[in-house]
Amino acid sequence: DHVKEWLAPKTVLYTHFITGIVEPLRAQLEELGYTVAVQTGRSKSKAGLEDFKAGKADILIGSATIGTGVDELQYVCNRLVFISLPWSNAEYQQIIGRLHRQGSRFKKVDVIVPIVVLREAKAGIWSWDDKRRRCIEYKQTLADAAIDGSIPQGRLPSKEELQRRSMEALKKWMSRAKIGTPPETT
């Protein structure tokens, strides 16, 4: 529901995950009166991308397949909304780079990263999106270290470890919400 405030014709919605997300998202957008094109790589066709670039669709829902090897978006849109973030800073920058590039017809590109935060008085605060965003930022720090030579503090968890920790934290959060235990402080 909150994404609709950032919608306008000629918006790209990026989702790293597609199963169980693309079709409900498409249905919601169409209910709001938008024409929608989809380019997720489920087929080899680039019809969704071409329809969006040709002005036959208001909104493009795209996945990792629009992150590289896609050109001309900079001529037709300047708004990108992340529905779910990619796993690395390089992927994140590549996706933004589809719109923010030389030859753009726009003076600026709007990049919107919604952060869903669960808040409950007894259980505290928890956010998968914030954990993903921080992971991307940390990976950028690692990339900077490789170029600049400064070693960042800490250890970057694997995708699987981050998912495991997130599920564990969410289960604890949900348990505290049910029994009324005060949140842990970290």
Side-chain angles (χ1 to χ4, degrees):
D1 283 342
H2 296 288
V3 171
K4 65 184 166 189
E5 68 188 75
W6 299 304
L7 298 177
K10 296 301 170 194
T11 297
V12 173
L13 298 181
Y14 175 87
T15 178
H16 190 75
F17 302 107
I18 57 177
T19 303
I21 293 177
V22 172
E23 288 312 314
L25 181 58
R26 177 186 211 154
Q28 175 99 22
L29 295 168
E30 289 173 347
E31 260 183 49
L32 293 171
Y34 292 103
T35 53
V36 181
V38 176
Q39 190 67 47
T40 62
R42 284 194 171 149
S43 76
K44 300 267 183 209
S45 169
K46 293 198 175 193
L49 179 62
E50 295 306 321
D51 284 351
F52 181 72
K53 291 191 306 188
K56 296 177 185 174
D58 296 320
I59 295 179
L60 174 65
I61 300 172
S63 67
T65 59
I66 67 164
T68 55
V70 171
D71 196 14
E72 300 175 351
L73 285 176
Q74 74 271 22
Y75 304 134
V76 296
C77 65
N78 69 334
R79 178 168 288 227
L80 171 64
V81 179
F82 283 93
I83 300 301
S84 63
L85 290 165
W87 281 103
S88 73
N89 187 272
E91 288 175 290
Y92 178 76
Q93 294 300 328
Q94 279 289 329
I95 296 156
I96 293 171
R98 300 305 95 206
L99 280 69
H100 186 259
R101 60 191 309 163
Q102 192 170 11
S104 175
R105 292 189 178 146
F106 306 97
K107 292 183 189 248
K108 69 175 187 149
V109 173
D110 295 323
V111 177
I112 300 155
V113 182
I115 303 290
V116 175
V117 178
L118 302 177
R119 298 173 195 264
E120 204 280 331
K122 297 173 185 163
I125 298 170
W126 187 85
S127 175
W128 164 261
D129 297 319
D130 186 54
K131 289 181 185 306
R132 288 282 295 273
R133 181 190 53 79
R134 285 188 282 146
C135 183
I136 288 171
E137 288 174 356
Y138 185 73
K139 286 181 178 181
Q140 176 60 48
T141 302
L142 288 177
D144 291 344
I147 294 169
D148 300 336
S150 60
I151 306 299
Q153 300 297 314
R155 177 182 76 82
L156 182 63
S158 68
K159 177 169 80 171
E160 292 77 16
E161 176 68 9
L162 182 61
Q163 286 174 326
R164 186 192 65 72
R165 287 184 194 175
S166 292
M167 288 305 296
E168 186 178 288
L170 180 58
K171 285 176 185 175
K172 285 181 183 176
W173 184 88
M174 290 168 54
S175 176
R176 287 193 308 268
K178 288 178 186 172
I179 63 172
T181 307
E184 297 173 11
T185 55
T186 55

